[in-house]
DNA sequence: GTGGTCTAGACCACA
DNA sequence: GTGGTCTAGACCACC
């Protein structure tokens, strides 16, 4: 599988986003080891330096921690992951609200739209 | 202004999407003239043939009509624009729901999230 | 009005065909005067020499006759026009039959097709 | 072989029409591979881009499907080909009727004309 | 090899 | 001026 990367955002950040999404979806669990820089570079079809920058960025955000000689691990500090989860969620919601407002819709119409696609509130 | 284009989707379609968004947001009104092919090409930093293709695609979708020797105009057929609006709205909602489900959230949590950012239901 | 001419057939013959069609449709009547070479050239947007060849060709077919100093006239010899009519009609029918056979249709299917588009036989 | 193209219709559509005719006449069978863009361009004496446009148009009409890296193939969806056949047939009939009406003939005369060329109804 | 996109530059018909 | 078509030649992703 060859992934494609948008021209408008640095690749290392795009990969960081992807990893964050995997953490939020619990596909990567707290404390779990990430693939090595070299392995991830091969998987992603990019230069190892790029992955190095990705991991540095994630570490700067306290989302991962690297242990010398052992590798890079998802943080197990729950408060960090909680905040991360909220942040990602907030971004999705804000983007949605912005788009819907562009379409001239009110909050009630947004909710009705969601209910139309998922069935009435209370179900599911 | 130099715009950047994603690598994963043809430029002519990305520009078409941009125009559609402008129509849906009422930045381009029904019956309004679009920039000429050559002018839009300069604005967008692409070859006129690419814009030609964009306009052809929009015409094929009945979103735009061309009058020979005069230019390209947003359709003034309301039913077309209504359907377009619904289609874009549906896409926004589906994308939102997909993202939120990725985050492991239920429908009620989605709605609560929106209400948190916009105030309780019934207000605005 | 600028007419267009196919690249695959000489223009002078295309114009001859057009005149023949007008005669067959009785838009040009037996004995009626055709426009002068110069006038027809202007009407058709071509060189007078081209019309001259058209008229010569029609005269060779005995469809028109030219009277020196007076102009070019549709023949009034009914037998010529009758034969012409049959010839044109035959060409239309043969072309139709050829096309329909290409589609793998039998005669009865052709007739049914016509009836479908014009109502049942005996009406109209 | 140098083909000639009418001035009044885009070449890419004339070639599309030709291919459609070949499909309807079963000279091109369902599932059969069309010549590659470059090969067809040479055969037709036009630029590859023109054939590309022809194939795109045919794909838009669902008459043809392209498989990446493999080529362009006549669809094998029978219902598409049936509809196409009916459409072409309708066009042939309508053109015939138009021509015959131009000649001032009634429906019965059209049918008699066909029977004169193919023998009486019921035979064949 | 295949189809698909893009650029550069030309010519056309229409108004 | 407008949009529409066509050529020439390039680069891309996929197989």
């Amino acid at each position: 599988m060859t992934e494609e990367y948008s021209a408008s955002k640095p690749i290392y950040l795009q990969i960081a986003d992807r990893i964050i999404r995997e953490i939020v979806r619990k596909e990567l669990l707290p404390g779990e080891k990430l693939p090595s820089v070299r392995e991830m570079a091969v998987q992603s079809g990019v230069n190892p330096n790029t992955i190095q920058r990705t991991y540095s960025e994630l570490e700067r955000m306290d989302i991962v921690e690297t242990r010398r000689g052992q590798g890079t691990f998802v943080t197990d500090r729950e408060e960090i992951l909680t905040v991360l989860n909220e942040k990602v969620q907030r971004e999705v919601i804000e983007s949605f609200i912005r788009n819907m407002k562009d379409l001239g819709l009110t909050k009630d119409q947004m909710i009705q739209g969601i209910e139309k696609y998922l069935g009435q509130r209370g179900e599911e």
Side-chain angles (χ1 to χ4, degrees), chain A:
Chain A
M1 180 179 71
T2 60
E3 287 230 25
E4 288 171 350
Y5 297 99
S6 162
S8 53
K9 203 175 180 181
I11 290 176
Y12 81 95
L13 284 182
Q14 294 182 50
I15 296 175
D17 282 345
R18 198 184 65 204
I19 293 171
I20 288 173
R21 255 180 281 123
E22 289 174 1
I23 293 171
V24 166
R25 289 180 209 168
K26 313 285 187 203
E27 291 164 23
L28 282 171
L29 298 174
E32 187 172 344
K33 185 178 181 301
L34 293 179
S36 76
V37 168
R38 285 174 191 78
E39 191 180 332
M40 180 68 99
V42 173
Q43 278 178 30
S44 304
V46 302
N47 191 289
N49 288 331
T50 303
I51 301 299
Q52 190 56 262
R53 288 185 77 180
T54 298
Y55 283 9
S56 300
E57 181 66 17
L58 290 172
E59 186 160 26
R60 204 189 52 74
M61 296 192 265
D62 289 326
I63 293 170
V64 305
E65 45 191 61
T66 69
R67 305 188 198 127
R68 304 259 295 226
Q70 297 190 49
T72 304
F73 299 79
V74 179
T75 184
D76 54 3
R77 292 166 56 201
E78 288 294 344
E79 75 277 17
I80 298 273
L81 295 175
T82 303
V83 168
L84 180 64
N85 209 309
E86 282 166 1
K87 183 178 166 231
V88 172
Q89 186 178 329
R90 186 170 59 247
E91 283 169 0
V92 170
I93 291 174
E94 285 177 347
S95 159
F96 171 70
I97 288 174
R98 204 178 323 112
N99 283 328
M100 292 300 265
K101 282 203 163 166
D102 275 346
L103 295 176
L105 299 179
T106 67
K107 176 178 52 113
D108 283 0
Q109 287 170 318
M110 295 181 204
I111 293 172
Q112 283 163 19
I114 293 169
E115 286 173 339
K116 198 164 80 191
Y117 284 91
L118 284 180
Q120 285 308 305
R121 201 175 192 180
E123 309 177 20
E124 171 139 339

